[in-house]
Amino acid sequence: MKLMFPLTIVMTLFLGSCKSTQYTPGDYPKRQIVFGSGGGFTGKYEKYTLLENGQLFYKNSITEEVTEQGNVPKKTVKAIFKQMSEMDFKELVLEKKENFTYFIELKEKDQAYTCEWGGSSGEENEQLKELYKALMLLTKPTE
């Protein structure tokens, strides 16, 4: 019985240390995707950040408050990064802000690659619109 108590403490500490590290968008060392939309009369932006580890965050552009929205399955995250790679996202150049603007930004290391477009510009390509729709689906609560 005396041996069980110390063993229980050691096992609890060991298992507790195996928990995956939780990050924020500001301290995450790997790739992340920032996406959303905004502007218009209020100037408010809906801004989401998807980390490569699956954590999803929302930032309120008025209060600057960042809240974690949950975790996206790693398989889904991997598929999205693959889709961005296949469409050569880093090579896209699209900066067409309008009254209401949509955006996707890929951040990796010290680089950022951004595409911005308005709803009426018609200059965004279909792959970009499909990527945006896929990302926005991640922000909807699952039932």
Side-chain angles (χ1 to χ4, degrees), residues 41-101:
F41 179 72
T42 65
K44 182 180 178 185
Y45 275 79
E46 299 288 326
K47 183 177 179 180
Y48 296 91
T49 303
L50 176 64
L51 306 184
E52 195 170 15
N53 70 0
Q55 287 179 269
L56 180 66
F57 294 88
Y58 169 76
K59 181 176 183 180
N60 182 314
S61 67
I62 304 297
T63 65
E64 297 291 315
E65 180 183 8
V66 176
T67 55
E68 186 169 5
Q69 300 295 296
N71 288 300
V72 176
K74 291 187 193 266
K75 185 176 180 181
T76 303
V77 175
K78 189 174 181 179
I80 288 174
F81 277 101
K82 182 179 180 187
Q83 181 180 358
M84 292 182 85
S85 178
E86 289 174 349
M87 68 186 282
D88 290 327
F89 184 85
K90 292 180 189 179
E91 303 303 318
L92 291 176
V93 178
L94 188 60
E95 294 182 30
K96 296 288 183 183
K97 284 188 173 185
E98 292 185 16
N99 186 34
F100 193 82
T101 302

